[in-house]
């Protein structure tokens, strides 16, 4: 985290892709990144998108955005970065997506066939 953004290609293993797409929050982040025309979004945009798509069932639709921000910063974004799917610049709070056919096919399958 915190490194300058650059372009590179990375192969994601099937196990990593399955693990990432299994997470509801990671799927929400991926969906936002895939739909972004520039492949780059701010953490605030991701936070808003993930919160809107994943309201807690027993909280009357209210989500703890502080907790969600910490989860994105310390768990979900590092997981996506380790898989080579994103670059997260914590100084500018921007996330750049590196398109990956394997992950996108799996994402499409899970979101259209299983949800």
């Amino acid at each position: 985290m915190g490194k300058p953004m650059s372009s590179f290609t990375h192969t994601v293993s099937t196990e990593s892709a399955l693990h990432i797409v299994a997470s509801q929050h990671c799927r929400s982040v991926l969906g936002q990144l895939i739909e972004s025309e520039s492949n780059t979004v701010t953490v605030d945009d991701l936070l808003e998108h993930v919160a809107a798509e994943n309201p807690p069932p027993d909280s009357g639709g209210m989500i703890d955005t502080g907790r969600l921000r910490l989860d994105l910063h310390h768990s979900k974004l590092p997981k996506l970065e380790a898989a080579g799917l994103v670059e997260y610049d914590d100084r500018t709070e921007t996330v750049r997506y590196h398109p990956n056919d394997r992950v996108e096919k799996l994402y499409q399958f899970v979101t259209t066939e299983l949800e």
Side-chain angles (χ1 to χ4, degrees):
M1 290 196 281
K3 16 180 211 220
M5 293 187 180
S6 63
S7 61
F8 64 92
T9 307
H10 186 78
T11 303
V12 178
S13 72
T14 301
E15 182 179 348
S16 291
L18 288 168
H19 186 66
I20 287 164
V21 175
S23 164
Q24 187 174 11
H25 285 166
C26 282
R27 280 196 312 277
S28 292
V29 168
L30 281 174
Q32 178 73 7
L33 291 166
I34 290 168
E35 295 297 317
S36 170
E37 290 182 17
S38 68
N39 286 342
T40 302
V41 298
T42 66
V43 172
D44 286 339
D45 287 344
L46 284 176
L47 183 65
E48 185 178 312
H49 180 78
V50 172
E53 282 201 346
N54 303 285
D58 57 352
S59 67
M62 297 300 291
I63 192 163
D64 181 346
T65 55
R67 179 175 281 174
L68 181 57
R69 181 179 289 278
L70 287 173
D71 184 47
L72 288 176
H73 180 75
H74 292 288
S75 177
K76 303 307 184 255
L77 294 175
K79 181 187 298 186
L80 293 168
E81 190 169 45
L85 293 171
V86 303
E87 285 179 77
Y88 172 43
D89 186 334
D90 59 354
R91 290 173 299 117
T92 61
E93 291 202 335
T94 55
V95 180
R96 176 178 288 161
Y97 175 59
H98 297 289
N100 182 287
D101 287 340
R102 172 180 274 177
V103 172
E104 288 184 25
K105 286 177 186 175
L106 185 56
Y107 168 82
Q108 283 299 114
F109 175 75
V110 169
T111 58
T112 60
E113 301 293 327
L114 302 179
E115 288 187 335

